[in-house]
Amino acid sequence: MQIEGYKIQEYNNDHLKHHRHRFEFASSLASNIESIISKLVDFQVAIPSWALGAGGTRFGRFSGGGEPRNLEEKIEDVGLLHALNGSSGAISLHIPWDIPDDASAIKTLAAQLGLRFDAVNSNTFQDQASQPLSYKFGSMQHVNKEVRKQAIDHNIEVIKQGKALGSESLTVWLSDGSSFPGQLNFRKAFQNTLESLQEVYSELPSHWKMFVEYKAFEPNFYSMTVGDWGQSLLYATKLGRQAYTLVDLGHHLPNANIEQIVSLLLMEGKLGGFHFNDSKYGDDDLTVGSIKPYQLFLIFTELIDGMDYRGMNHAIDLAWMIDASHNIKDPLEDLLQSVEAILIAYTQALLVDKKLLEEARLNNDVVRAQEILQDAYRTDVRPIIAEARLRSGAALNPLQFFRQIKVREELIKDRGSKTVATGL
Ligand code: RM4
Ligand code: MN
Ligand code: MN
């Protein structure tokens, strides 16, 4: 399914008057409204190929129908999102869930829909039917060199696939670790992992980045070999200039101060990528902004501050990606909500008066500092984001339009109600 541009225009025209009214008020709240809008137009969030079907939990999976049956249909779905919101112009693939049969045809299809390929993701956390050795006791940390080699070779293969698609980064998330005390020699597990990562790193094209993603627990519940940002930073530093830490919002112990982590990683020039989701307990992979929108705003405030301090381009110098897996919502609706939540937090963070905030800090005026932040956070920036969408030819309200033209119903008609996408 593809949405014709004129239909979006018609829809926007029907809602233009109402929008103009709201936008006029919202734009009066910001002195730099044009610069904010152009930043919003540029800002793109990559959609993970594994989020286009219903996610499962260990207790089951409930497909809503019309799920993409192959990579082409996944790309088609991301194309739909991008047509609707103008901010989902990239896709991140997980190998081997999404191996392209014909890379150049896939590349052409993506380009037609205005999409590029973001980081490619390797997978050594599951055993594939065709693979000779098991990752039950880890992959890059494994005590058996042959298993480590298999994991290294897989990552090199993923780089190869990514090169064919025009991707420029590799994300390595390892489930390696241990579930019981005594199971693992921590030092040896670290060394093995580092050496394995080094072998992969040496195969990276010179313009590529490697992201080392950490996670505090799950599937291992006693130790994780890349368990926190300190460990990730250690690997990334030892690997070299092309290696970076990747922060996934759901991968921390409860109540971790993620905004501080982000700030320090940026200070060190070692923050490379970001996985957005939300959670209440663990790696819940819920819709971005559905549980802790204030935390998301605080994180964005540090992201912008740190990026501006280093003269980085918000739109392209970090890899922005959603990493969520929803088990009860329509995956496309959920992704529209997630992208919107990201843009809201980003815009609010752009509204923070940094000069006044710094002044308040220098005067130890704690109350004033809080007021400045919350002033920005409590601004309804949605009309500003809608304006950015209007200017990029996307829908004023993507979710409403999605329902109005019955996208899911169309997809079910095309693909059937029993389809199940590859992924989690
Ligand atoms: C992990 C991690 C990775 C993602 C997999 C599917 O928890 O977040 O980034 O690729 O899940
Ligand atoms: Mn992740
Ligand atoms: Mn995760």
Side-chain angles (χ1 to χ4, degrees):
M1 179 188 182
Q2 276 203 35
I3 304 175
E4 285 100 340
Y6 79 91
K7 284 203 178 142
I8 297 182
Q9 253 175 34
E10 269 173 24
Y11 166 83
N12 284 348
N13 288 340
D14 289 347
H15 295 81
L16 206 53
K17 208 164 148 226
H18 179 63
H19 166 69
R20 287 267 176 262
H21 185 65
R22 284 170 30 110
F23 176 62
E24 206 176 300
F25 175 69
S27 57
S28 71
L29 302 172
S31 54
N32 49 344
I33 191 75
E34 282 306 316
S35 123
I36 292 179
I37 291 175
S38 82
K39 287 196 171 97
L40 284 170
V41 169
D42 291 345
F43 200 83
Q44 300 295 320
V45 184
I47 304 296
S49 62
W50 60 100
L52 298 160
T57 69
R58 26 192 198 125
F59 300 106
R61 186 176 189 180
F62 306 96
S63 166
E67 290 191 5
R69 292 163 295 185
N70 49 44
L71 183 52
E72 284 79 359
E73 290 183 353
K74 287 183 175 185
I75 290 172
E76 207 180 278
D77 277 11
V78 181
L80 281 174
L81 293 174
H82 191 45
L84 290 165
N85 67 16
S87 308
S88 311
I91 179 167
S92 185
L93 299 189
H94 225 296
I95 311 288
W97 292 336
D98 312 291
I99 300 179
D101 292 329
D102 178 349
S104 86
I106 289 289
K107 218 175 147 180
T108 311
L109 174 65
Q112 280 163 356
L113 301 171
L115 309 177
R116 60 175 178 80
F117 288 91
D118 203 76
V120 275
N121 303 264
S122 57
N123 178 340
T124 60
F125 49 88
Q126 291 172 324
D127 284 348
Q128 307 302 325
S130 58
Q131 119 197 8
L133 301 166
S134 172
Y135 295 133
K136 180 172 176 184
F137 297 108
S139 58
M140 290 196 175
Q141 71 170 16
H142 205 281
V143 291
N144 178 351
K145 199 168 192 303
E146 291 304 306
V147 179
R148 303 203 294 272
K149 183 164 185 322
Q150 179 178 284
I152 294 164
D153 289 347
H154 166 68
N155 275 272
I156 294 171
E157 170 64 23
V158 174
I159 296 176
K160 205 179 108 202
Q161 302 274 0
K163 276 206 267 190
L165 295 169
S167 179
E168 293 181 354
S169 48
L170 168 73
T171 298
V172 182
W173 172 66
L174 300 174
S175 66
D176 292 34
S178 65
S179 278
F180 296 95
Q183 185 187 330
L184 209 62
N185 179 322
F186 296 137
R187 215 171 36 242
K188 281 189 186 162
F190 184 95
Q191 284 303 340
N192 283 342
T193 304
L194 178 63
E195 278 164 29
S196 307
L197 287 170
Q198 275 162 341
E199 293 213 29
V200 176
Y201 185 86
S202 68
E203 299 288 326
L204 275 187
S206 61
H207 64 292
W208 272 49
K209 294 179 181 172
M210 183 197 237
F211 303 137
V212 182
E213 180 176 1
Y214 60 89
K215 182 169 180 175
F217 63 93
E218 196 205 18
N220 275 295
F221 289 101
Y222 175 63
S223 72
M224 291 287 278
T225 299
V226 194
D228 61 20
W229 71 284
Q231 293 171 57
S232 165
L233 182 60
L234 209 53
Y235 290 111
T237 307
K238 287 175 188 285
L239 285 166
R241 146 193 98 72
Q242 288 171 259
Y244 296 84
T245 292
L246 183 143
V247 174
D248 181 313
L249 293 182
H251 288 191
H252 304 85
L253 293 175
N255 306 323
N257 188 334
I258 304 175
E259 49 273 31
Q260 187 181 18
I261 295 173
V262 162
S263 164
L264 298 185
L265 283 171
L266 273 171
M267 178 183 80
E268 292 299 293
K270 278 298 198 186
L271 181 63
F274 222 87
H275 282 179
F276 294 104
N277 48 57
D278 211 343
S279 54
K280 185 151 178 68
Y281 301 106
D283 190 24
D284 306 349
D285 278 341
L286 298 174
T287 317
V288 183
S290 60
I291 308 277
K292 292 174 284 199
Y294 189 51
Q295 183 195 48
L296 185 65
F297 159 77
L298 294 174
I299 292 169
F300 257 107
T301 304
E302 293 302 335
L303 283 168
I304 291 177
D305 189 58
M307 290 183 90
D308 288 351
Y309 183 71
R310 297 187 71 89
M312 292 165 77
N313 179 330
H314 299 177
I316 53 172
D317 287 345
L318 287 188
W320 308 107
M321 198 188 89
I322 291 174
D323 186 6
S325 171
H326 0 277
N327 53 8
I328 52 172
K329 286 178 175 171
D330 177 312
L332 293 176
E333 291 193 349
D334 181 280
L335 287 161
L336 289 173
Q337 286 186 312
S338 279
V339 174
E340 180 78 4
I342 292 167
L343 295 177
I344 289 174
Y346 178 44
T347 312
Q348 288 169 332
L350 288 169
L351 290 180
V352 171
D353 193 325
K354 289 207 266 190
K355 221 174 122 242
L356 288 187
L357 184 60
E358 202 44 45
E359 246 171 63
R361 286 168 173 169
L362 290 172
N363 291 318
N364 292 313
D365 192 344
V366 186
V367 170
R368 183 91 187 99
Q370 178 184 324
E371 290 297 313
I372 292 165
L373 285 183
Q374 294 197 346
D375 249 0
Y377 175 65
R378 292 186 170 135
T379 309
D380 185 359
V381 296
R382 291 172 301 172
I384 304 177
I385 298 165
E387 177 67 17
R389 272 197 292 267
L390 187 67
R391 295 195 194 176
S392 32
L396 278 170
N397 183 332
L399 193 53
Q400 190 185 54
F401 183 57
F402 177 94
R403 289 194 170 190
Q404 189 177 305
I405 59 167
K406 300 193 182 321
V407 174
R408 181 55 59 188
E409 288 82 342
E410 286 299 317
L411 292 175
I412 291 176
K413 254 192 251 159
D414 281 2
R415 301 172 182 172
S417 58
K418 294 258 178 313
T419 59
V420 177
T422 49
L424 281 173

